[in-house]
Amino acid sequence: REAEEARDVGFARLDLLRRIAAPAIESGGAGRLIEAIVATAEAEGTRLQKRPDPVLWKTAADRREALRQPWETAYCLLRHAEAALAARALRHEAAESLRKAHTIATKLDAPPLVGEIEGLARRARIELGMAEPPARPGTSRPTTDGGVAVALTSREREVLSLVAAGHTNRE
């Protein structure tokens, strides 16, 4: 029941935003920020309908990026990837959006957003291509017998830290 009420509030707010912003947008006087807010709200509306639209999320991400709003850009890219994966035909686009969102969110030091991005990537089995953290002075990076540096995914690093802490495979 609570989720249904929240969805109704979301639809009501989207409708109000449309009515307020539409005349300004139509006359060309809304400005890029209002257009970005409306684009994001329209994309959120498709989530409320349980039919997320990757095209609307991509538009919202592009508008947020044009305004140099990194957190909002990363959020919209995450939602674009989510919608693209739901469409089942846009996996390449989803991977690209997740990687870009991850780079932005990591630079912003936004752990909750990074966690959401990494969680979706893990569930979708998309490699984010994360760079290894820089080596501390006096330490060396692991290499193969041939001298090739070994890079681990975030999940592999997580598992290794759990094993190092004494956890069993089952744990």
Side-chain angles (χ1 to χ4, degrees):
R1 178 78 188 132
E2 192 174 312
E4 190 176 309
E5 287 175 11
R7 194 171 18 263
D8 290 344
V9 168
F11 284 129
R13 288 186 177 172
L14 177 57
D15 184 54
L16 178 62
L17 180 62
R18 285 174 177 152
R19 285 186 284 132
I20 291 170
I25 291 172
E26 289 170 10
S27 70
R32 294 182 328 152
L33 178 59
I34 297 301
E35 290 173 355
I37 290 169
V38 170
T40 304
E42 292 291 350
E44 287 287 8
T46 66
R47 284 184 72 215
L48 289 174
Q49 296 168 344
K50 298 188 188 283
R51 293 179 300 169
D53 185 328
V55 173
L56 292 180
W57 279 112
K58 181 71 170 112
T59 299
D62 290 345
R63 290 193 173 170
R64 294 299 187 155
E65 186 173 29
L67 290 171
R68 294 191 174 116
Q69 295 179 315
W71 192 94
E72 292 83 355
T73 301
Y75 174 81
C76 289
L77 288 168
L78 165 65
R79 297 300 176 218
H80 171 258
E82 192 174 67
L85 289 168
R88 298 185 186 267
L90 305 169
R91 186 172 173 77
H92 175 73
E93 283 186 35
E96 188 176 307
S97 287
L98 279 176
R99 288 182 189 112
K100 187 172 181 178
H102 188 264
T103 298
I104 294 168
T106 300
K107 285 180 184 174
L108 290 174
D109 192 26
L113 186 56
V114 169
E116 269 200 75
I117 294 163
E118 289 177 355
L120 180 58
R122 190 170 31 254
R123 289 188 304 278
R125 293 191 169 105
I126 293 174
E127 180 59 49
L128 294 175
M130 295 172 279
E132 285 290 311
R136 287 178 277 165
T139 63
S140 62
R141 291 206 172 181
T143 58
T144 65
D145 291 338
V148 176
V150 176
L152 301 175
T153 66
S154 61
R155 177 65 180 148
E156 290 167 333
R157 285 192 299 271
E158 179 185 354
V159 169
L160 280 177
S161 68
L162 291 171
V163 170
H167 293 276
T168 65
N169 278 347
R170 180 170 293 229
E171 292 172 318

